[in-house]
Amino acid sequence: ACELLARPVEMFHDMAGIEFPYIDPRSGRRVTSRIRRDNPDHEKGKPVAKYIQSSMDRNHLCFAPGFLADPSRIIVIVEAEKSVLAIAAWAKRTQANYTAVALGGAWSWMGKNGKRPTPNGGTEPEHGPLSDLDYMNGRRVIIAFDANLHANWSVQESELRLVSELRKRECEVYVARVPGGDGVNGPDDLIGIRGDHEFQRILKEAKVADSLEAFNDEFAFILDSCAVIALRSMNVLSVERFKQLTANRFHIVK
């Protein structure tokens, strides 16, 4: 594993785990890998570096097998590679017209895209949305992040920015909510524990991103105290904080 990811052997105690190769959907060649460690180190009771990526490769998206086979398929964007594989198997079993792509982490659709010149004649890394997102241009997309999104503002912000980026690419963007509990966090858990029909249900109930209906699922206004509750995390926000968080959100009605 250390050789595969170009990592020093002494960096981690135990590298045994599962390799998820990232395959370029057009050429079919491996462009990078991530390893999910079976026994990650722990700090303060929490796993450290549970997933490890090659230090020599750029960020890429993890595409389901046969991603480009049918451009009419609806794309489901998830966080983890296991969810991509579970959705691919689900779509094959049920003959559903969906395919999937994983980010490999909520913010991993952003990364280093190359280098740009600096005023002094040198170069510096250029960061931004991955070029892999080009495969989504003009497509219908459903974002289905893990259930713990409800308690993580960083993941929620990533979703909002991803919606904005996909809209720039003329995508039709929807959001689906994975119901947590009973061991369910990602779409793979939902399919494995509650069955194919439950995953089909959340996709059918996906709402247009930033629509009034989706917005009302996220926030509620408390008239007596002039405050706002974020319904995912049950955090109470001042009206000013609410405006700061949502001022860049919009929905175009055709």
Side-chain angles (χ1 to χ4, degrees):
C2 290
E3 182 179 345
L4 177 70
L5 302 186
R7 296 277 188 172
V9 174
E10 68 276 5
M11 180 173 286
F12 301 103
H13 297 136
D14 187 346
M15 284 287 286
I18 300 172
E19 179 206 356
F20 293 100
Y22 281 44
I23 306 299
D24 184 295
R26 200 174 299 279
S27 69
R29 67 181 181 87
R30 172 192 170 275
V31 289
T32 190
S33 291
R34 282 216 312 168
I35 287 182
R36 182 188 184 278
R37 298 166 69 202
D38 292 336
N39 301 296
D41 302 312
H42 283 74
E43 285 184 7
K44 298 180 180 179
K46 295 184 178 181
V48 177
K50 186 176 180 179
Y51 285 85
I52 300 179
Q53 186 172 341
S54 171
S55 59
M56 304 298 290
D57 300 329
R58 294 181 184 176
N59 278 5
H60 288 275
L61 303 182
C62 181
F63 295 93
F67 180 83
L68 295 179
D70 184 354
S72 72
R73 289 177 180 171
I74 300 169
I75 300 170
V76 183
I77 299 179
V78 295
E79 293 185 54
E81 300 89 347
K82 288 189 299 177
S83 292
V84 161
L85 298 177
I87 292 170
W90 164 81
K92 186 175 181 180
R93 281 194 305 273
T94 63
Q95 300 297 304
N97 195 36
Y98 293 85
T99 187
V101 59
L103 305 180
W107 283 98
S108 294
W109 57 276
M110 303 278 285
K112 187 168 69 172
N113 288 324
K115 294 183 178 181
R116 61 186 174 193
T118 57
N120 62 6
T123 60
E124 64 182 7
E126 185 172 27
H127 292 81
L130 300 182
S131 59
D132 285 357
L133 290 173
D134 291 348
Y135 289 111
M136 265 72 93
N137 290 355
R139 300 277 293 270
R140 178 178 290 190
V141 176
I142 299 176
I143 301 174
F145 280 178
D146 292 352
N148 59 11
L149 165 143
H150 303 302
N152 191 319
W153 275 105
S154 177
V155 179
Q156 293 172 34
E157 182 182 355
S158 170
E159 182 187 76
L160 295 176
R161 294 197 179 192
L162 181 57
V163 168
S164 177
E165 177 63 30
L166 292 171
R167 284 234 176 90
K168 294 176 186 175
R169 298 167 179 271
E170 299 184 350
C171 296
E172 187 178 345
V173 190
Y174 295 78
V175 290
R177 296 299 176 220
V178 177
D182 301 325
V184 172
N185 186 40
D188 55 326
D189 304 320
L190 186 67
I191 294 169
I193 294 173
R194 299 182 189 171
D196 292 348
H197 64 284
E198 186 68 6
F199 185 63
Q200 178 72 48
R201 180 189 66 78
I202 71 162
L203 294 184
K204 284 186 176 181
E205 293 178 359
K207 296 179 174 67
V208 176
D210 287 348
S211 66
L212 184 59
E213 186 181 12
F215 209 69
N216 283 333
D217 281 346
E218 297 178 45
F219 300 101
F221 180 67
I222 307 171
L223 185 61
D224 291 343
S225 58
C226 289
V228 178
I229 284 187
L231 296 173
R232 295 174 183 173
S233 60
M234 298 307 292
N235 287 335
V236 178
L237 311 172
S238 68
V239 172
E240 286 305 312
R241 177 60 175 156
F242 169 72
K243 288 180 179 179
Q244 291 169 0
L245 288 171
T246 61
N248 64 333
R249 296 180 61 174
F250 66 93
H251 172 58
I252 298 175
V253 179
K254 297 184 181 179

